[in-house]
Amino acid sequence: MKSSVIYEGKHHKWVVFGRDESKPEKIIDTNQYLICTDTESMLLDPGGIELFSPMLTGILGYTELSKLTTLFASHQDPDIISSLGLWDKTIPKAKLYAPWLWEGFIRHFGMENIEFMAVKDEGGEIKLGSNNFRLIPAHYLHSSGNFNVYDPEAKILMSGDLGASLEKGDVPMFVEDFGEHVAHMEYFHRRWMPSNRAKMNWIARVKELDIKIMAPQHGRIFKDDDVQEFLAWFEKLDVGCA
Amino acid sequence: MTVHVENNQEIGCFIIVATVVAQLDIILVEAKNLSLAAKNARVVAIRAGEAALGFKSITNFIDEFSTKTIQTTQEINQHSNLLFKLALEQLRASQFEHHINRAYSLNDKSHIEIKRIKNDATQIFRESLTRFNSEMQALTLQFEEIRQQMRAAEYIAVTSRVEASQAGEYCDSLESVSDYIASAALRIKSAISINLSTLSQLKRIKVSG
């Protein structure tokens, strides 16, 4: 499992994990994000059961387990949170923030110890150390109960499946040429995103945020101007097509 | 009955519990029929009067052990949810141990926290195994109890046949009750033998696993 620090500030840092060489071939590659503050850490979209072991090993390079107090699941998919049953035994005192809509479904992955923190449809906040993170609604993109995480200090939006791309091989962590990158995103967004109305709502909401890094759950991360390029491209894209 | 559990002992536990629970229905149906046969036999014995006095008292025994068998079987049935829960707990504990061992092998420095979780994982797995085995032991004892009741049923079938032979014109119908008790006891014993053999297969999985 590769990892790199994508932001390091006064109070906290963001680490991305992905491009796992040991993952079975037919499993989709995912990005997992760890936010470390001095006192606490949070894992965003912890990943599937197959990634648990390399993730655990990777995380310990950045934080102590006793500080890993919080998990966040943007939605209910197996590549997002099917490792929950194993985290439940590893960090039993942790809290899981996830859409209220999916509680009964997510519990199927096995959750006897971790506390479920239901996120309301309108979103909310997670406090971690001295930092606050905003939960931005992204419903129906693609999941019917879905949130992004926005960090106002680092100006990072963890955008879940929005901005995801499907590329084979050991691809770089960041988008290098937006024009070339479109080819890897188009099918995913047309097919997985079901609603143009939901898309426009989300774009309007996200345009109000000051974003330097947009970090999706699959594929490359967007920086600076590429974030706005993505929003402009996505706005024009007709989604919900099979 | 051989349950094919292949190489996954935890999935094997699920299959074995399911096999045992499926056999419970057979025992329950036979025990209910026995109870009904006892009630019918009592009516015939009352009608036969003096000639079937001995048989009448035997029907009370039949009713008593069939009621007890129904009760024990229903207790086991209620227990099956717990057994499935424990089998699931064990499956998860085993998966946890497997993934932690993998993390341990991935980490060159054998991080102290992974070592600690590795020990915890082994402990969690052992504890879940102990709970599952202890419940299975209790289940085996419950089946042994029913088997004892069926031995008594076979004995009563023989005694009732002697009593039936003295019941004059009611002899045939009471003899058929005796035959029914003997055959039902045999069927219940056979279902129990299947279950005990399935449970012993579980013990073998545990030893070799």
Side-chain angles (χ1 to χ4, degrees):
Chain A
M1 178 74 71
K2 290 184 178 168
S3 68
S4 44
V5 175
I6 58 170
Y7 169 82
E8 187 145 20
K10 262 187 185 175
H11 307 107
H12 68 300
K13 68 179 164 195
W14 279 69
V15 186
V16 59
F17 296 87
R19 321 291 188 265
D20 181 33
E21 310 89 348
S22 65
K23 117 185 140 48
E25 192 197 334
K26 290 195 174 176
I27 285 182
I28 189 169
D29 189 46
T30 50
N31 299 330
Q32 290 71 233
Y33 297 94
L34 177 73
I35 303 172
C36 302
T37 71
D38 291 341
T39 53
E40 286 180 87
S41 303
M42 169 162 69
L43 184 57
L44 310 179
D45 286 354
I49 200 162
E50 291 289 341
L51 294 189
F52 172 79
S53 311
M55 274 306 294
L56 175 62
T57 311
I59 281 169
L60 287 172
Y62 295 94
T63 186
E64 293 162 36
L65 272 185
S66 59
K67 286 185 178 173
L68 186 56
T69 57
T70 311
L71 300 177
F72 166 80
S74 60
H75 59 285
Q76 83 295 356
D77 275 350
D79 63 325
I80 298 282
I81 190 67
S82 69
S83 57
L84 179 63
L86 300 170
W87 289 112
D88 186 68
K89 287 184 162 53
T90 309
I91 43 169
K93 290 178 184 164
K95 290 175 177 174
L96 168 68
Y97 285 83
W100 71 269
L101 191 68
W102 296 119
E103 178 174 1
F105 296 72
I106 282 176
R107 283 185 182 276
H108 275 279
F109 292 127
M111 198 176 87
E112 291 166 348
N113 303 302
I114 287 176
E115 187 183 353
F116 190 91
M117 307 295 285
V119 182
K120 291 177 184 169
D121 280 343
E122 57 268 34
E125 258 191 9
I126 299 176
K127 189 171 167 55
L128 196 75
S130 58
N131 288 78
N132 285 312
F133 299 88
R134 283 175 60 191
L135 302 176
I136 310 293
H139 306 311
Y140 295 101
L141 296 169
H142 66 91
S143 171
S144 47
N146 188 39
F147 292 96
N148 297 165
V149 177
Y150 178 63
D151 177 349
E153 189 176 317
K155 299 183 174 33
I156 296 176
L157 180 74
M158 199 289 274
S159 56
D161 281 316
L162 288 150
S165 56
L166 304 174
E167 270 181 281
K168 284 188 179 165
D170 184 19
V171 297
M173 278 294 182
F174 286 92
V175 173
E176 288 160 1
D177 181 328
F178 186 83
E180 277 182 18
H181 190 61
V182 163
H184 305 296
M185 297 193 293
E186 192 166 331
Y187 177 75
F188 184 90
H189 287 80
R190 275 191 197 283
R191 185 66 206 260
W192 262 271
M193 304 300 158
S195 161
N196 281 312
R197 189 173 150 208
K199 177 192 80 173
M200 294 312 288
N201 274 338
W202 177 80
I203 290 172
R205 204 172 293 127
V206 163
K207 275 186 173 171
E208 289 175 9
L209 306 173
D210 184 4
I211 303 169
K212 282 200 164 170
I213 293 178
M214 192 177 110
Q217 196 231 345
H218 304 283
R220 304 190 194 204
I221 298 170
F222 302 82
K223 259 197 311 195
D224 304 322
D225 291 346
D226 286 340
V227 176
Q228 295 310 317
E229 288 243 43
F230 172 79
L231 293 178
W233 169 81
F234 190 40
E235 195 169 349
K236 285 181 200 151
L237 189 74
D238 187 25
V239 301
C241 313
Chain B
M1 180 183 283
T2 307
V3 177
H4 296 285
V5 295
E6 301 186 359
N7 295 324
N8 190 326
Q9 65 167 9
E10 285 70 37
I11 295 296
C13 291
F14 269 110
I15 298 171
I16 282 170
V17 172
T19 309
V20 167
V21 170
Q23 289 291 320
L24 289 181
D25 258 0
I26 297 170
I27 300 171
L28 200 59
V29 167
E30 291 294 348
K32 280 179 179 170
N33 285 342
L34 262 181
S35 173
L36 200 63
K39 285 179 177 73
N40 288 338
R42 193 179 300 141
V43 172
V44 176
I46 288 167
R47 229 181 272 151
E50 286 285 315
L53 264 185
F55 200 97
K56 193 183 158 201
S57 58
I58 285 171
T59 58
N60 292 333
F61 285 114
I62 306 168
D63 203 20
E64 200 179 302
F65 72 67
S66 56
T67 305
K68 210 169 170 192
T69 303
I70 291 170
Q71 196 187 333
T72 313
T73 313
Q74 281 170 339
E75 278 168 16
I76 298 174
N77 215 3
Q78 283 164 4
H79 219 105
S80 61
N81 277 341
L82 175 65
L83 290 172
F84 279 124
K85 189 171 173 265
L86 289 172
L88 178 63
E89 188 181 295
Q90 207 199 330
L91 176 67
R92 284 187 172 148
S94 159
Q95 282 181 339
F96 182 53
E97 193 187 32
H98 167 76
H99 285 278
I100 290 295
N101 283 341
R102 198 174 148 223
Y104 185 76
S105 66
L106 285 172
N107 194 301
D108 296 336
K109 290 169 277 180
S110 295
H111 199 289
I112 194 157
E113 287 210 76
I114 294 192
K115 264 189 187 169
R116 180 185 59 75
I117 303 167
K118 189 174 179 286
N119 290 338
D120 287 351
T122 307
Q123 185 65 20
I124 289 169
F125 180 65
R126 280 190 190 145
E127 281 171 9
S128 73
L129 195 62
T130 306
R131 277 197 292 276
F132 188 78
N133 282 344
S134 142
E135 282 304 320
M136 280 297 172
Q137 188 63 30
L139 186 66
T140 305
L141 290 175
Q142 281 175 305
F143 281 128
E144 288 292 358
E145 194 183 317
I146 299 177
R147 188 143 78 172
Q148 291 293 334
Q149 286 159 12
M150 289 309 107
R151 280 196 189 121
E154 283 176 325
Y155 177 74
I156 285 169
V158 174
T159 318
S160 66
R161 181 172 282 277
V162 176
E163 292 294 338
S165 67
Q166 294 165 12
E169 61 177 303
Y170 294 95
C171 173
D172 286 349
S173 55
L174 289 179
E175 267 183 357
S176 69
V177 171
S178 306
D179 290 344
Y180 183 77
I181 297 167
S183 63
L186 203 65
R187 284 192 292 274
I188 291 177
K189 272 174 71 179
S190 159
I192 287 169
S193 291
I194 290 172
N195 273 352
L196 288 173
S197 133
T198 309
L199 289 174
S200 72
Q201 201 184 338
L202 182 74
K203 282 177 198 156
R204 284 201 300 277
I205 296 174
K206 295 294 167 200
V207 171
S208 61

